[in-house]
Amino acid sequence: MGEFVIKMPDVGEGVAEAELVEWHVKLGDPVREDMVLAAVMTDKATVEIPSPVEGVVLWLGADVGDTVAVKAPLLRIQVAGEDGSAAEAAPSTTAEPSATVEPAKDKPAEAKPAPPPQARSAAETKVIQPEKIPERPIAREPTERPVASPAVRLRAQEAGVDLRQVPGTGPAGRITHDNLDQFIARGIQPVIVQTGPARKTDVEEIKLTGLRRRIAEKMRLASSRIPHITYVEEVDVSDLEDLRATMNAGRKPDQPKLTILPFLMRALVKTIGEQPGVNATFDDDAGIVTRYGAIHIGIATQTPSGLTVPVVRHAEARSIWDTAAELVRLAEAARNGTAAREELSGSTITISSLGALGGIVTTPIINHPEVAIVGVNKIMTRPVWDGTQFVPRKMMNLSSSFDHRIVDGWDAAVFVQRIKALLETPALIFIEG
């Protein structure tokens, strides 16, 4: 028998380390050739590491969440034949990037001592020993019938002992005469029956890894370095909803169903043309604001792995239908983990939409290093005074945040008010110029 050492592969040009986000095997597991052993995440992609050999896992060199240097030993596999030579596992050619992540600053995982070869066989051998009788009686459920012979039951009845309190050491917890004798010797104790909801004392510690840790780092950075100003305005979207319903009723079979987002994105494009200062990023270390002609709109999207921001690139060059189709495509790619890195980065302004879940006001956190984010809230039918009477109107709040170092409060208000005007008179969205 020999050992084959699999090292952290070189997963990309310029990448010196990667975060271990998932083990697919554990100590003692048999592995086959090409079987996926682990998944690692870099700032460019999530990569699966396959096994180049067949054998049994002897040693794991890191825990989930650890950062491992390229070429550092990752695991050892016991193989048949001569000693295995140290080798690097090649990343799976079918692995797709699922999210971007900053390289963590943790030190590389330290090697852990490998268990002796006989450890696995010993662990697999179960030695059944007589169960020690607890110091105190065990209370059973009122409907649970203790296992005991008729003779034991008769003795317990004569002694006034509730067998539900007596721990049994026989097969399947059977109560023996010795168990009854020991219980009586300690003194008969009352039955303790849980009458209300049971108290919970469990505590679970969850280490942030992979995308979840990346999200936490981004939120901490944005919250600690950006002085936010949030501006909330209500918008009457009654006419917009009527227009949306009409357009959906007449859409072609190959056209997606329109939500409110494509209209908001078109309104953003027109407004940014008048206020280019909000379509920007700010490098606060260098003190440089970069304004962009291209409008790349990030759409905050909830996925099974956490919050991601797929990017609709060049929104300024897309029609309402093209925008809607791209939204559907990107959201699906983000949720199933097939979005490419360039589809999850490079946004110049972001939209956060929680309207489907409810909520009338939010305070969205800016997607660093951008300087603005527009939040969409729930559409609600509310009574609105038209000057003579209250009429039912479909109202929605826009909750938008700005980097107050770059965007003054006045400019933020003008920006939101212009979007409001476009959404309330949706025909203006389609007028060029």
Side-chain angles (χ1 to χ4, degrees):
M1 302 294 284
E3 288 185 9
F4 192 93
V5 180
I6 297 179
K7 298 182 178 181
M8 174 64 72
D10 185 353
V11 292
E13 183 178 354
V15 176
E17 59 188 12
E19 180 187 353
L20 177 66
V21 295
E22 186 177 10
W23 278 118
H24 290 269
V25 294
K26 59 183 181 296
L27 288 178
D29 277 0
V31 297
R32 305 181 308 276
E33 188 174 349
D34 295 328
M35 176 180 172
V36 175
L37 303 173
V40 297
M41 179 180 285
T42 71
D43 62 337
K44 296 182 179 180
T46 297
V47 178
E48 294 180 338
I49 298 178
S51 174
V53 296
E54 182 175 331
V56 176
V57 178
L58 287 180
W59 174 83
L60 301 177
D63 294 325
V64 171
D66 288 349
T67 301
V68 184
V70 169
K71 297 187 183 301
L74 193 59
L75 73 162
R76 296 175 185 164
I77 297 177
Q78 185 180 62
V79 296
E82 301 297 326
D83 288 348
S85 58
E88 299 177 23
S92 171
T93 56
T94 60
E96 291 287 346
S98 62
T100 56
V101 63
E102 297 288 346
K105 302 301 180 184
D106 303 336
K107 63 181 181 179
E110 297 180 358
K112 301 178 181 179
Q118 66 271 21
R120 179 171 176 260
S121 59
E124 291 178 345
T125 303
K126 296 183 179 179
V127 179
I128 300 177
Q129 297 179 346
E131 182 182 343
K132 183 180 178 181
I133 299 178
E135 290 294 327
R136 298 185 59 81
I138 298 175
R140 293 179 171 85
E141 295 295 329
T143 57
E144 182 180 353
R145 179 178 172 82
V147 180
S149 68
V152 171
R153 292 185 184 280
L154 178 59
R155 284 191 57 209
Q157 182 178 0
E158 293 173 348
V161 173
D162 188 336
L163 285 179
R164 290 175 300 178
Q165 293 182 276
V166 181
T169 59
R174 189 180 188 86
I175 301 171
T176 66
H177 286 283
D178 288 341
N179 298 149
L180 183 57
D181 290 340
Q182 292 181 32
F183 180 80
I184 293 174
R186 288 200 302 269
I188 300 174
Q189 301 179 31
V191 178
I192 302 174
V193 180
Q194 182 73 36
T195 58
R199 292 185 179 183
K200 295 184 178 181
T201 59
D202 54 308
V203 177
E204 183 180 10
E205 293 184 353
I206 302 173
K207 185 175 182 179
L208 295 185
T209 61
L211 181 58
R212 189 74 259 169
R213 181 160 74 178
R214 169 65 172 160
I215 293 170
E217 291 170 351
K218 289 279 286 185
M219 293 298 101
R220 176 188 57 79
L221 182 65
S223 180
S224 63
R225 302 187 72 166
I226 300 177
H228 286 59
I229 175 176
T230 300
Y231 183 88
V232 181
E233 177 61 288
E234 64 176 3
V235 181
D236 186 339
V237 293
S238 302
D239 294 341
L240 175 59
E241 284 294 274
D242 291 342
L243 175 61
R244 185 169 72 88
T246 300
M247 294 180 70
N248 278 331
R251 64 191 174 98
K252 298 176 181 179
D254 61 338
Q255 290 177 324
K257 186 176 181 180
L258 293 173
T259 66
I260 198 170
L261 283 182
F263 295 94
L264 176 59
M265 294 169 70
R266 294 304 305 160
L268 269 180
V269 168
K270 291 185 72 69
T271 305
I272 287 171
E274 302 167 7
Q275 286 185 264
V278 297
N279 190 53
T281 57
F282 180 41
D283 184 342
D284 44 1
D285 290 328
I288 297 175
V289 176
T290 304
R291 293 184 177 180
Y292 300 91
I295 302 175
H296 303 322
I297 302 178
I299 307 295
T301 304
Q302 191 65 33
T303 73
S305 301
L307 184 69
T308 60
V309 186
V311 181
V312 177
R313 308 186 77 83
H314 291 290
E316 77 281 0
R318 296 180 183 272
S319 69
I320 195 83
W321 294 107
D322 185 26
T323 300
E326 184 68 355
L327 277 172
V328 172
R329 186 190 71 82
L330 286 172
E332 180 63 24
R335 291 190 179 103
N336 62 29
T338 61
R341 185 191 180 208
E342 57 270 18
E343 295 175 326
L344 297 171
S345 61
S347 55
T348 56
I349 190 170
T350 295
I351 293 175
S352 173
S353 177
L354 295 175
L357 296 177
I360 58 174
V361 173
T362 52
T363 54
I365 297 176
I366 296 169
N367 186 21
H368 182 274
E370 297 167 23
V371 300
I373 184 170
V374 177
V376 181
N377 297 120
K378 182 181 180 179
I379 297 176
M380 300 176 62
T381 300
R382 300 202 296 265
V384 178
W385 183 254
D386 67 356
T388 59
Q389 61 181 340
F390 283 101
V391 293
R393 303 293 290 177
K394 294 178 180 178
M395 307 298 294
M396 177 189 75
N397 286 347
L398 287 179
S399 303
S400 306
S401 296
F402 304 85
D403 187 334
H404 214 343
R405 299 170 299 180
I406 309 303
V407 182
D408 294 334
W410 177 271
D411 293 330
V414 170
F415 179 77
V416 174
Q417 290 297 331
R418 177 56 174 159
I419 295 175
K420 169 185 169 76
L422 290 170
L423 295 179
E424 290 188 337
T425 311
L428 297 176
I429 295 174
F430 300 92
I431 298 177
E432 298 297 331

